[in-house]
Amino acid sequence: MTVKALIFDFDGLLMDTETTLLESWRWEWRRHGLEFDPVGFFADHGGDANEPRYAALAATVGSAYDRESSHALRMAYRAELNAALEPAPGIVGWLDRAAELGLRLAVASSSPVTHVGAMLDQAGLRGRFEVLATGEEVDAHKPDPAVYLLTLRRLGLAAGEAVAFEDTAHGVAAAHRAGLRCVAVPNPHADDARFTAADLLLTSAADLSLDAVMAALAGHAGQRR
């Protein structure tokens, strides 16, 4: 079946917002004179995983902890970090080539549209995407396929007519459960060994041209490049 659309995850793939998330938590712990342990920080699912993080900080700080102030200050610091972000290496080249090939583009993210849309606007990329499907629109987050199924419905395409791009193992699982082939480009905090199910695994979007990616999917699925 001919590929007609490319569907991209957002966080950690189009822009490295995973690193700014982690750094915002390090900063917030240090504000209390503490060092943050990043082991187990990144969840095996999409959506907001911050409440247990606030609970852990509150338990460490004690009665002096102000959850509302902590959240406001951390988010303000993360916004400063996000303001300096640009598209990940190789992404704009892929999007440019997709336009030349007449491929439709979509984003399928577990994050809310307020975050995804604002960051895409900042990068000047929002107009590239015909469809944005985001976490508040579905009942379950990745590895559940709901956001991908919603994206396919909005595109009016069968799963075989699109390819997904993901930076996490649970994102790859969600894409496969929706019937999509999936190219994995792990974010800097992901364990590459967990991506054995990906149809193609890259270290960066700059590794291969989009034409080479599509050719690899057609003839060399699952090979590491």
Side-chain angles (χ1 to χ4, degrees), residues 1 8 23 30 32 34-35 47 53-54 60 71 87 109 116 123 146 155-156 159 175 183 200 207 221:
M1 195 175 293
F8 292 86
E23 290 305 315
R30 286 171 182 166
H32 294 279
L34 302 166
E35 284 299 317
R53 297 166 183 161
Y54 283 118
T60 304
H71 175 70
S109 172
V116 176
L155 289 167
V183 177
L200 182 66
D207 286 356

Side-chain angles (χ1 to χ4, degrees), residues 23-104:
E23 290 305 315
S24 74
W25 277 101
R26 282 188 171 135
W27 178 85
E28 180 57 12
W29 276 66
R30 286 171 182 166
R31 196 173 66 83
H32 294 279
L34 302 166
E35 284 299 317
F36 178 70
D37 182 357
V39 174
F41 177 77
F42 290 99
D44 287 332
H45 58 81
D48 190 347
N50 281 319
E51 285 311 314
R53 297 166 183 161
Y54 283 118
L57 181 56
T60 304
V61 173
S63 60
Y65 182 70
D66 183 333
R67 163 70 170 76
E68 184 175 347
S69 173
S70 178
H71 175 70
L73 290 168
R74 186 187 68 80
M75 291 299 288
Y77 181 69
R78 190 185 182 200
E80 290 180 14
L81 298 179
N82 281 345
L85 289 181
E86 297 181 351
I91 288 294
V92 172
W94 279 1
L95 301 182
D96 287 344
R97 183 58 177 153
E100 293 171 356
L101 295 172
L103 294 170
R104 300 165 68 189

